[in-house]
Amino acid sequence: AVVSTQSGHYGRANPEDTPMVNTINVDELLESAGRSIQVEKDVPLTLDMGSLTAYDMQPVEMSKLGQGKARDAFLMNLTRDNTQLLFNSLFSLPSSVVEKVKCVQLPAPTTKLPREKPIPKPKTLTKWEAFAKSKGIQKKKRGRMLYDDVAKEWKPRYGFNKAGGDKEQNWVVEVPENGDPYKDWLGDKEDKKKEKVAKNELQRLKNISKQVKLKSEAINQNVKQVHKSTASLGKFQEKSKEEKKAKEKGKHKKFAPVTGDASSEKEKSLALISKISNSSVSVNKEKAANQELGATIKRSREAERENRANKRRSKMGVKAQTKHFDKKTRQVSRPGKEKSKR
C-alpha cells in the first residue's frame, strides 16, 4: 500500500509552482514498527460491518493483563489488532469510485440497537379522514395536467396559468332561469371562491389545534401526576418558566371566609330562618319521629353496654384486692418458714 501526500500552501494557486510529492510505503512502515496487517486470533471476532463494530469474545488471561503501564500496553495492542481485523473486513467489501473517492457499500446491520425515543403514536384523524374511513372512500390521485377546451391545450389543474383560469376566457357567466339579471354574477363567483378557501384554511387550523390540544393535555396530565407524587402533593414543587397551572377537574367546594364583612353571613342566617318558619315548607313528621326513636334506642343500648363493662371491671378489682390481702396475711403469720426458704 502506498500513500502519497502533496505539500503546498493554502490560498490562490500559482501555476508556475510544482507541488512536491512525498511517497510513504505503509508495509515498510509497519514492518519497521514490528506490526503486520495479518492478525491471527484463537477466537475470531464477531463483526457487524453494517454498524462498523467488532466484538472480541476471546477470554483475557489475568496474568497477561498486569497493572499500570503493562496493562495499558496490553490493552493498546489488543485494540490495535481488533481494529486491524475490522479494517481488513472493511476493505474486502465491494467498492466503487465516486468523484475520485473510494466508497464501500456496507451491508445491513445485524446488531439491534434500542431506540432513543419511543415509537411515535399514530396521528389523530381529521374530520374528513374520519368521514372517508367510515364511508369507505379511498383517496384517488388526480393528474396534475388538465385539458382546456377553450385553449385547446393541456394546462395545470392548479396554480399559475391553470385550466379555465384565464379571465379573458371566463368573461361570460350563464345566469340561471330564476336568477336576478342585474346581479354581479362574476363578483359572486369570486366571493364564493374566497369563502371556500377561507373555510378550508379554517378547517386546517382546527385540525392542527386539535392535535396540539391533545398533546398539551397529555403533557399537563403527566406533569400533574409528577407533582402530586411528592410528599407535599406538589405544594412546594418548583415550576418551569413556561409551565401553566394545571386545571383540576371535578367540583370544588367553596367555603365562606371566616373574617371580614359579616353581612353575608347574616343574610344567609335570616334566609335559613325564614325558610324554616315558612309554612309552605313540608316536613315529613313520620320520618322525623322514626329517626328520633332510632337515635333514642341506640343511646340506650350504648348506655347498657357501658354499665355491663363497668360492673365487670369492679368485680375483677374486688377479687384482685382480696387475693392480695390474703397473701399478705399468710406471710405475716409464718415468718420463720419464709426465712428458712430464703
Side-chain angles (χ1 to χ4, degrees):
V2 177
V3 178
S4 63
T5 60
Q6 296 181 358
S7 63
H9 63 278
Y10 293 98
R12 185 174 294 176
N14 191 352
E16 297 179 358
D17 298 338
T18 56
M20 298 175 63
V21 179
N22 299 330
T23 304
I24 301 173
N25 195 330
V26 179
D27 293 333
E28 293 179 358
L29 186 63
L30 290 173
E31 287 178 3
S32 63
R35 302 293 178 85
S36 174
I37 61 173
Q38 302 299 329
V39 180
E40 295 181 0
K41 294 180 72 71
D42 297 335
V43 180
L45 292 180
T46 303
L47 298 172
D48 182 8
M49 300 309 299
S51 303
L52 292 179
T53 54
Y55 302 95
D56 190 0
M57 301 300 179
Q58 184 173 347
V60 179
E61 297 181 8
M62 300 303 295
S63 59
K64 293 183 179 180
L65 189 60
Q67 293 181 354
K69 294 183 178 180
R71 175 185 294 177
D72 295 341
F74 174 77
L75 293 176
M76 185 66 72
N77 293 331
L78 183 62
T79 306
R80 183 262 163 194
D81 293 343
N82 292 339
T83 307
Q84 184 64 58
L85 290 172
L86 180 64
F87 273 87
N88 293 346
S89 301
L90 182 64
F91 277 91
S92 64
L93 294 173
S95 61
S96 60
V97 178
V98 180
E99 295 182 358
K100 298 181 181 180
V101 178
K102 188 176 182 179
C103 299
V104 178
Q105 185 177 1
L106 298 177
T110 57
T111 305
K112 293 183 179 180
L113 299 176
R115 289 178 61 92
E116 181 187 1
K117 296 179 181 178
I119 299 173
K121 296 180 180 179
K123 292 184 179 180
T124 55
L125 298 176
T126 61
K127 213 169 185 180
W128 163 251
E129 289 174 348
F131 174 77
K133 188 176 180 181
S134 62
K135 298 295 183 180
I137 302 173
Q138 294 182 357
K139 186 177 180 180
K140 295 181 181 180
K141 188 175 181 181
R142 295 191 296 179
R144 180 177 172 273
M145 304 301 290
L146 191 66
Y147 187 75
D148 192 349
D149 296 332
V150 179
K152 304 298 181 181
E153 61 180 354
W154 291 90
K155 289 188 175 183
R157 188 182 295 271
Y158 304 105
F160 175 71
N161 197 21
K162 66 178 181 178
D166 193 358
K167 292 184 178 180
E168 294 180 0
Q169 298 177 7
N170 300 328
W171 61 275
V172 176
V173 178
E174 185 178 356
V175 180
E177 294 181 359
N178 299 328
D180 186 4
Y182 300 102
K183 183 179 178 181
D184 186 7
W185 291 96
L186 283 173
D188 184 57
K189 186 178 180 181
E190 291 180 358
D191 293 341
K192 286 182 178 179
K193 182 180 178 182
K194 290 179 181 179
E195 289 178 2
K196 189 176 180 181
V197 172
K199 182 181 178 182
N200 292 337
E201 182 66 16
L202 179 63
Q203 191 62 41
R204 186 182 71 85
L205 295 175
K206 280 184 178 180
N207 292 332
I208 293 173
S209 64
K210 184 180 178 182
Q211 294 177 0
V212 172
K213 186 178 180 182
L214 290 175
K215 290 181 181 178
S216 62
E217 285 181 356
I219 292 170
N220 291 337
Q221 190 67 20
N222 293 337
V223 171
K224 185 179 175 182
Q225 290 178 357
V226 171
H227 283 182
K228 285 198 171 183
S229 63
T230 57
S232 61
L233 297 177
K235 186 177 181 181
F236 305 103
Q237 189 77 12
E238 296 182 359
K239 295 183 178 180
S240 61
K241 294 181 181 179
E242 299 179 358
E243 182 181 348
K244 296 181 180 180
K245 187 176 180 182
K247 295 182 180 180
E248 296 184 1
K249 296 181 180 180
K251 294 181 180 180
H252 302 275
K253 190 174 181 180
K254 294 183 179 180
F255 298 94
V258 295
T259 58
D261 189 12
S263 59
S264 60
E265 185 178 358
K266 182 179 179 182
E267 291 176 0
K268 288 181 181 180
S269 302
L270 291 174
L272 181 62
I273 292 170
S274 63
K275 186 177 180 180
I276 294 172
S277 60
N278 192 4
S279 59
S280 62
V281 178
S282 60
V283 179
N284 193 345
K285 297 180 180 179
E286 185 178 356
K287 184 177 180 180
N290 291 335
Q291 288 182 354
E292 183 64 25
L293 181 62
T296 305
I297 294 171
K298 186 177 181 180
R299 286 196 296 269
S300 63
R301 287 178 179 175
E302 289 178 355
E304 187 178 355
R305 196 180 298 112
E306 190 175 354
N307 291 333
R308 289 177 183 175
N310 291 334
K311 288 179 182 180
R312 195 180 299 111
R313 283 194 222 102
S314 62
K315 287 181 180 180
M316 290 175 68
V318 171
K319 288 181 180 179
Q321 288 178 4
T322 53
K323 189 176 181 180
H324 176 71
F325 284 116
D326 291 343
K327 187 176 181 180
K328 285 290 184 182
T329 53
R330 285 197 298 271
Q331 289 179 0
V332 172
S333 62
R334 295 181 292 178
K337 291 184 178 180
E338 290 292 328
K339 289 182 181 179
S340 62
K341 286 182 180 179
R342 292 175 187 172

